Amino acid sequence: MKNIKIITLLLLVFMLGQGTAVAASWTYIQRLEGTRMGPCGEYLDTESVVKTGQKLVYWTIWLLDAPGGKKQVRKILRKNEALLNDPKQIRALETYQYDINDAEVYQSLQPSMFTELTPDSAAYRALQHARQDDGSDSVKPNSIDVRQ
């Protein structure tokens, strides 16, 4: 019995000692029709937006209308980087895909190539929520639960 109490206490201390979770605050941005994965809603985590000089880093999630592909992908979470000086560009720094049960089925930590930042990009909406760089990174949200 004493061993169980000690193990329980150690587990509790270990769990409390882990890094703090970052709560996501998902805000609807726009409807996307022409994606490779099909139509979806795009949401911005307004708590994740960090601006450093002319660089903006933030997280978005796409909620697909219907699961797609062999892995039945339903959500795509992306850490984005937008360069706001001319020419304005954007790329994904990290990409995660989740199935219909919110299980991660794919991840890429390899940044994509830069593409042109279009006027309908979520980056412009993200600017409204940007906080100046305080030395902290834009941390992966702990929740992909998007309320429609």
Side-chain angles (χ1 to χ4, degrees):
M1 186 68 170
K2 188 173 184 177
N3 285 342
I4 292 175
K5 287 181 182 180
I6 291 173
I7 291 171
T8 303
L9 180 61
L10 287 174
L11 283 173
L12 181 61
V13 168
F14 176 76
M15 290 169 59
L16 290 174
Q18 296 300 308
T20 58
V22 177
S25 179
W26 297 112
T27 301
Y28 178 79
I29 297 294
Q30 63 187 334
R31 177 107 179 115
L32 299 171
E33 296 290 338
T35 74
R36 263 185 267 171
M37 300 294 284
C40 63
E42 183 176 29
Y43 297 79
L44 167 72
D45 176 15
T46 58
E47 299 297 318
S48 72
V49 185
V50 177
K51 185 174 186 254
T52 307
Q54 291 297 307
K55 181 174 79 171
L56 191 65
V57 178
Y58 60 95
W59 289 86
T60 57
I61 194 165
W62 289 1
L63 182 57
L64 301 172
D65 289 359
K70 290 184 238 178
K71 297 180 181 177
Q72 293 294 288
V73 173
R74 178 80 164 109
K75 296 176 183 175
I76 301 172
L77 178 68
R78 289 177 34 148
K79 181 179 186 180
N80 302 287
E81 175 184 48
L83 303 180
L84 304 174
N85 49 342
D86 289 323
K88 293 176 176 54
Q89 301 177 83
I90 190 168
R91 69 176 173 172
L93 296 174
E94 300 175 23
T95 303
Y96 304 85
Q97 294 180 355
Y98 298 88
D99 67 11
I100 56 176
N101 298 311
D102 285 347
E104 186 179 300
V105 295
Y106 172 83
Q107 99 172 212
S108 172
L109 303 177
Q110 180 71 34
S112 66
M113 306 245 334
F114 278 106
T115 59
E116 179 184 353
L117 184 61
T118 59
D120 63 343
S121 170
Y124 292 108
R125 292 284 295 277
L127 265 174
Q128 299 170 10
H129 302 280
R131 58 182 162 84
Q132 290 302 314
D133 183 15
D134 58 3
S136 62
D137 190 18
S138 181
V139 180
K140 182 180 177 185
N142 68 345
S143 171
I144 58 169
D145 186 24
V146 177
R147 306 278 184 225
Q148 291 181 306

